Amino acid sequence: MTLPPTLNRLAAAAAMAGCTLAVAACGTTGLPSAPVRATLETPSVGTAGQDAADDPAIWATATPARIAGETVHGFVAGTDKKAGLYIYGLDGAVLQFLAEGLLNNVDVIEGLVVDGRPQLLLGASDRTVGRHGIALFLFDPAGTDADNAVRPWGHVATDIAEPYGFCFGRRDGGIDGILIGKAGEVRQYRLGVDAAGRPAATELRRFDVGSISEGCAVDEAGDALYINQEDVGVWQYGFTPASRSARRSVGVTDGRALTADVEGATILQDGDRRYLIVSSQGDSTFGVWRIDGPQPVWAGRFRVEDSPTVDGVSGTDGIDALGGPVGPGFPEGVVVVQDDINDRGTQNFKYIDWRDIRAALGL
């Protein structure tokens, strides 16, 4: 990759200091990961004995909402990629399960209006035979009916052979969905509502990452799209479609900051600071970069170890994070991660208090 002049100068300075820009940090070699513990966990996903739990997405609300007969301050959506979509409470309990097929990555976003009512939009990469693309779901945050819940809304078809990664982002007053294929194909769609109240999608951009890719995250404030190329590292693209396929390296899988496979990606807003968090599946750690400046800056990494009540996390695939109040249990934010080897059954999801991660890394 050819770096722009500014990054070339930074790379030269880094080399003189004895460190590598591509790793995204001076002095990361040999640094241990900071230990943290999960606060709580979900039950195991229903598909036993297989690689099934995959990716979470977090939504929180200051105004209590009704879902599946429960009053909540938010929820966590989590995929069982062999069976469908779980909706968990902020306490980890199962609120709902939608048997919607082979859903891999999931994300959630506010800002869509359907039939005159603001709706929460959920989207997931869908590998179900005959339905490859994006599965879309709606939730009415103001709904008061006893049966108010997440409900299937529709589907966006794609030419990608095996949809893998997915993430949302807002741009120019609208919502874009980023779909990533297993082979590294990327499609960016503008999502909306047609005259009949059904999903509408327009393709805006397509490019190729280069090999197996999955996790993605949109930094709206920085006009950036982060994509993980599993055996290579983390790339920063522009979120604006006009940026096409231009990119720069954020971190590489050299066994120091990241170890292949690089899987999930998420962004957390903490006051005026924004952080990119990436799951390094090969060594069961999580890399963190601060991204509210002119370029990503390495902030450290952490691991999730055993607590007396919740086992540690290994081989994480998907990850999501949300800063600010997330229900009464997480007043400053929460990070939710998939756990590949769960000590009480099959794979599940763990919830980690952002304050613990921030303290462990000295952020």
Side-chain angles (χ1 to χ4, degrees):
M1 173 185 173
T2 301
L3 295 172
T6 300
L7 291 184
N8 274 326
R9 290 194 295 271
L10 288 170
M16 292 178 64
C19 57
T20 304
L21 182 66
V23 180
C26 297
T28 58
T29 302
L31 289 179
S33 53
V36 299
R37 293 178 172 183
T39 300
L40 56 92
E41 61 184 325
T42 68
S44 300
V45 297
T47 301
Q50 298 186 52
D51 179 21
D54 194 88
D55 187 52
I58 310 163
W59 173 69
T61 175
T63 303
R66 294 285 292 174
I67 179 169
E70 300 288 336
T71 299
V72 301
H73 283 86
F75 60 71
V76 174
T79 57
D80 178 337
K81 62 187 176 184
K82 308 295 184 183
L85 182 67
Y86 282 92
I87 305 298
Y88 302 102
L90 297 179
D91 60 356
V94 175
L95 296 173
Q96 190 180 356
F97 176 70
L98 296 92
E100 288 293 318
L102 309 183
L103 307 182
N104 203 59
N105 275 199
V106 63
D107 203 1
V108 59
I109 195 166
E110 297 177 324
L112 186 74
V113 176
V114 181
D115 295 331
R117 293 179 66 88
Q119 299 287 304
L120 188 69
L121 178 63
L122 293 85
S125 54
D126 191 348
R127 300 186 291 180
T128 306
V129 175
R131 207 178 65 193
H132 284 191
I134 306 169
L136 295 172
F137 306 84
L138 295 179
F139 173 70
D140 185 352
T144 57
D145 294 343
D147 60 354
N148 190 47
V150 174
R151 61 194 189 278
W153 183 42
H155 188 263
V156 175
T158 183
D159 62 345
I160 290 176
E162 190 171 358
Y164 231 48
F166 181 76
C167 55
F168 281 126
R170 297 179 192 82
R171 188 182 54 82
D172 297 336
I175 295 172
D176 287 4
I178 306 293
L179 182 65
I180 302 174
K182 184 174 182 179
E185 318 100 304
V186 179
R187 305 287 184 267
Q188 183 167 349
Y189 299 95
R190 171 53 56 97
L191 302 175
V193 185
D194 68 15
R198 305 303 300 166
T202 302
E203 183 180 310
L204 304 176
R205 172 173 56 160
R206 60 171 55 200
F207 60 89
D208 290 319
V209 178
S211 63
I212 296 176
S213 304
E214 184 176 0
C216 66
V218 173
D219 175 23
E220 298 166 2
D223 187 33
L225 167 64
Y226 295 92
I227 297 178
N228 293 343
Q229 189 175 3
E230 292 191 357
D231 60 352
V232 175
V234 184
W235 295 103
Q236 183 194 66
Y237 294 84
F239 181 40
T240 302
S243 62
R244 299 183 182 274
S245 60
R247 66 184 185 181
R248 68 178 175 185
S249 176
V250 176
V252 298
T253 54
D254 63 354
R256 293 187 283 174
L258 299 169
T259 300
D261 288 346
V262 182
E263 294 283 349
T266 187
I267 290 168
L268 182 143
Q269 180 87 37
D270 186 12
D272 60 355
R273 299 186 176 196
R274 299 193 307 280
Y275 296 95
L276 170 69
I277 309 174
V278 171
S279 59
S280 175
Q281 190 178 65
D283 61 0
S284 300
T285 64
F286 302 86
V288 181
W289 287 260
R290 187 171 171 182
I291 58 170
D292 51 274
Q295 67 177 29
V297 176
W298 176 254
R301 59 179 182 166
F302 65 92
R303 67 184 187 276
V304 184
E305 63 178 15
D306 291 343
S307 79
T309 56
V310 183
D311 64 304
V313 170
S314 57
T316 290
D317 199 319
I319 180 174
D320 197 30
L322 185 61
V326 183
F330 303 98
E332 296 181 35
V334 65
V335 177
V336 179
V337 302
Q338 182 258 19
D339 185 17
D340 181 61
I341 303 176
N342 180 34
D343 68 345
R344 299 175 184 173
T346 54
Q347 297 176 343
N348 71 344
F349 299 94
K350 264 72 172 180
Y351 297 32
I352 307 137
D353 194 314
W354 170 244
R355 294 174 299 179
D356 294 339
I357 298 171
R358 190 172 57 197
L361 296 179
L363 301 177

